Amino acid sequence: MAYQYDDQNIFAKILRGEIPNQTVAETDHTLAFSDIYPQAPVHVLVIPKGPYVCFDHFAAEASDAEIADFHRVAAQICADLGVAPGAGGMGYRTISNAGEHPVQEVPHYHMHILGGRPLGRMLQKAD
Ligand code: AMP
């Protein structure tokens, strides 16, 4: 596996403070902010601060501390925003696009958290 991280991607610019964001949560390893084009009432992006292109890159090369922190921040956001079923919410969907087929637009690993309305089934069946 050989990923080349492009440090000019828009989330790298957000992490460097060159582009503003609506921060939802931040730790030493992780940043979460509102998606600029929300697809649902809750649409938050969770990103590691390290230079990882996509999920499998992150899982292979990030430290255990980064991986644990990322997931704990994401889960806490689901609870805080009232969508976690375990906290009485109506549920949420997490999505992480990697590469061409799912149309990853930004080549810095991110998890979408979507909720706040019925989201329908995950995918439409292809013809
Ligand atoms: P993906 O297609 O999975 O790479 O998703 C990229 C997401 O980043 C899209 O949902 C965009 O709306 C979102 N996005 C792009 N630029 C920004 C930005 N400056 N601030 C917040 N979200 C952004």
Side-chain angles (χ1 to χ4, degrees), residues 1-6 9 11 46-63 66-67 70-71 95-112:
M1 172 172 21
Y3 283 111
Q4 299 285 334
Y5 182 79
D6 169 15
N9 79 74
F11 294 169
V46 186
I47 69 173
K49 290 187 172 178
Y52 307 107
V53 173
C54 59
F55 165 72
D56 59 283
H57 189 204
F58 179 64
E61 296 194 8
S63 67
E66 288 172 287
I67 292 170
F70 180 90
H71 290 93
I95 296 175
S96 171
N97 296 313
E100 289 183 28
H101 275 185
V103 192
Q104 180 180 5
E105 292 175 1
V106 181
H108 181 112
Y109 174 47
H110 50 285
M111 175 191 282
H112 298 253

Side-chain angles (χ1 to χ4, degrees), residues 10-11 14 19-20 33-37 43 45 97 103-106 110 112:
I10 201 152
F11 294 169
I14 285 176
I19 292 177
F33 52 92
S34 300
D35 195 291
I36 202 166
Y37 299 119
H43 190 170
L45 301 172
N97 296 313
V103 192
Q104 180 180 5
E105 292 175 1
V106 181
H110 50 285
H112 298 253

Side-chain angles (χ1 to χ4, degrees), residues 74-84 87:
Q76 189 63 50
I77 289 167
C78 293
D80 290 348
L81 297 184
V83 293

